[in-house]
């Protein structure tokens, strides 16, 4: 346990100068909308060092017990205008049924915030944000992770939430956030990532770096961590990864490396069933089969 604690501290230290977490997250409810099958809270989360972060919280209607919550991390896709709206209105590469509708119908609450540079936080180009933060000793991905950790802090304060049943979920950039956040924060009990398994060394070898935006590049990361090393920090918690064999953003050879290394890690501690990678013959999309697998996994383990 101590070894993992040290590794988490090291990983977090690579994310640049980040704000302290000394002040509580203050939530302001802008409005509440009846979406028919669920209720949508439109929020501003006042976060130390990040200002007001626009967020959505979708919850089932007529909830009588504390509910499990999924932190839904929106994707990138160059859709800077979309951000958290992806929760209630699927991107073209996601299944048509929104995750707000899907997850609330399963009895889950769902939180999604606009990540830096997206939705109501857009205005500067991603490359501009990345460069400015780098000059200041900060890392764009670090700021994004920090905001999501603070989002978890907020979730823990809600009296309608079962704080022992928290999951992280997302596709592409959102999936990357799901496994990074799960690795760094043990409050996440279930991790689900869609089209987000990028083995860094394989990406470099395949000259695929320009398939990805600036946002996720962390200085000195490969001196200390492989992709699977980060995800080992999720063990023994439940982790599902659904991927496409023809997805250029997640090189095929790298999928095998990550799968084998995590299989070994979970088997070593006697819980091989807690890790699952399921491959589909597709590119960078969420198929109907993937959606069914995701829902089944969350239903079984959250």
């Amino acid at each position: 346990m101590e070894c993992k604690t040290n590794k988490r501290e090291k990983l977090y230290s690579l994310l640049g100068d980040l704000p302290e977490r000394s002040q509580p997250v203050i939530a302001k409810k802008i409005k509440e909308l009846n979406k028919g099958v669920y209720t949508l809270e439109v929020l501003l989360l006042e976060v130390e060092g990040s200002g007001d972060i626009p967020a959505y919280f979708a919850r089932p209607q007529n909830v009588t017990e504390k509910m499990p919550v999924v932190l839904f991390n929106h994707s990138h896709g160059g859709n800077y205008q979309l951000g958290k709206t992806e929760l209630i209105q699927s991107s073209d590469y996601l299944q048509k049924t929104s995750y707000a509708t899907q997850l609330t119908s399963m009895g889950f609450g769902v939180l999604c915030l606009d990540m830096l540079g997206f939705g109501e936080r857009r205005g500067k180009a991603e490359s501009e944000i990345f460069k400015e933060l780098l000059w200041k000793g900060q890392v764009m991905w670090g700021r994004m992770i920090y905001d999501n950790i603070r989002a978890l802090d907020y979730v823990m304060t809600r009296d309608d939430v079962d704080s022992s049943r928290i999951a992280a979920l997302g596709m592409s950039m959102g999936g990357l956030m799901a496994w990074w956040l799960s690795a760094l924060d043990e409050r996440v009990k279930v991790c689900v990532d869609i089209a987000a398994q990028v083995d860094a060394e394989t990406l470099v070898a395949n000259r695929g770096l320009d398939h990805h935006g600036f946002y996720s590049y962390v200085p000195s990361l490969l001196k200390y961590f492989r992709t699977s090393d980060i995800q080992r920090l999720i063990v023994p918690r439940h982790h599902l990864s659904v991927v496409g064999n023809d997805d250029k953003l997640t090189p095929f050879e790298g999928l095998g490396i990550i799968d084998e290394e995590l299989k070994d890690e979970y088997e070593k501690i006697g819980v091989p069933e807690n890790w699952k990678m399921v491959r589909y013959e597709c590119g960078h999309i969420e198929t109907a089969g993937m959606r069914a697998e995701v829902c089944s996994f969350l239903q079984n383990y959250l």
Side-chain angles (χ1 to χ4, degrees):
M1 183 64 70
E2 183 61 34
C3 183
K4 279 191 177 180
T5 299
N6 291 341
K7 287 180 179 178
R8 283 192 187 95
E9 289 175 353
K10 179 61 181 178
L11 185 61
Y12 195 75
S13 75
L14 297 177
L15 296 175
D17 296 337
L18 293 172
E20 297 293 330
R21 291 170 58 192
S22 58
Q23 299 299 318
V25 176
I26 299 172
K28 179 181 179 181
K29 187 186 295 187
I30 304 300
K31 56 186 171 180
E32 188 169 293
L33 304 172
N34 184 336
K35 305 295 282 187
V37 293
Y38 64 88
T39 298
L40 184 70
E41 299 176 16
V42 180
L43 305 173
L44 277 180
L45 303 181
E46 185 181 323
V47 174
E48 187 176 6
S50 292
D52 289 337
I53 300 178
Y56 285 152
F57 189 91
R59 67 176 197 271
Q61 294 187 345
N62 303 315
V63 176
T64 57
E65 298 180 349
K66 290 191 175 186
M67 60 189 160
V69 167
V70 177
L71 181 56
F72 178 82
N73 305 282
H74 70 73
S75 69
H76 187 305
N79 298 320
Y80 297 102
Q81 78 287 352
L82 195 58
K84 68 182 180 302
T85 304
E86 185 176 68
L87 173 63
I88 61 173
Q89 178 186 316
S90 289
S91 302
D92 291 341
Y93 38 77
L94 286 169
Q95 289 292 297
K96 186 175 180 180
T97 300
S98 74
Y99 265 106
T101 298
Q102 188 86 66
L103 295 172
T104 55
S105 72
M106 297 166 64
F108 303 147
V110 198
L111 177 69
C112 183
L113 63 152
D114 279 330
M115 288 204 238
L116 185 60
F118 291 83
E120 296 180 73
R121 300 176 76 190
R122 71 188 188 277
K124 292 181 179 179
E126 179 182 333
S127 56
E128 183 182 359
I129 296 170
F130 184 89
K131 293 170 185 176
E132 179 183 343
L133 290 176
L134 200 61
W135 261 355
K136 294 177 178 178
Q138 300 179 11
V139 178
M140 187 173 183
W141 190 235
R143 292 301 300 265
M144 289 176 159
I145 288 172
Y146 169 80
D147 289 345
N148 277 273
I149 289 174
R150 298 313 317 264
L152 280 178
D153 290 344
Y154 161 68
V155 166
M156 294 294 164
T157 68
R158 290 184 62 114
D159 58 14
D160 57 354
V161 168
D162 182 346
S163 60
S164 68
R165 300 172 66 195
I166 306 294
L169 162 70
M171 171 164 177
S172 195
M173 178 179 79
L176 197 70
M177 177 59 70
W179 57 255
W180 267 85
L181 183 63
S182 300
L184 286 166
D185 198 320
E186 293 181 281
R187 293 177 295 180
V188 178
K189 302 306 181 186
V190 179
C191 175
V192 178
D193 54 79
I194 306 164
Q197 286 294 348
V198 186
D199 181 68
E201 285 85 351
T202 306
L203 192 70
V204 171
N206 288 5
R207 299 192 63 192
L209 293 175
D210 283 344
H211 293 326
H212 294 266
F214 284 91
Y215 71 91
S216 65
Y217 291 93
V218 175
S220 298
L221 181 66
L222 297 189
K223 288 171 62 177
Y224 304 100
F225 293 93
R226 290 187 58 127
T227 299
S228 53
D229 292 332
I230 298 172
Q231 294 182 61
R232 280 191 179 98
L233 298 175
I234 303 172
V235 180
R237 288 167 285 153
H238 291 94
H239 185 182
L240 169 69
S241 180
V242 291
V243 293
N245 282 331
D246 301 318
D247 187 347
K248 290 183 179 179
L249 278 71
T250 63
F252 179 83
E253 299 88 341
L255 299 178
I257 292 170
I258 294 167
D259 191 22
E260 287 306 312
E261 293 190 0
L262 291 182
K263 273 182 181 176
D264 288 346
E265 194 70 17
Y266 277 86
E267 285 174 0
K268 280 179 188 176
I269 62 167
V271 287
E273 68 279 4
N274 287 10
W275 158 252
K276 189 176 186 181
M277 178 183 281
V278 187
R279 301 197 198 192
Y280 296 80
E281 297 306 319
C282 65
H284 200 65
I285 61 172
E286 180 198 40
T287 67
M290 287 178 173
R291 176 66 69 94
E293 189 72 48
V294 168
C295 292
S296 176
F297 197 83
L298 288 171
Q299 196 77 69
N300 287 338
Y301 298 117
L302 184 59

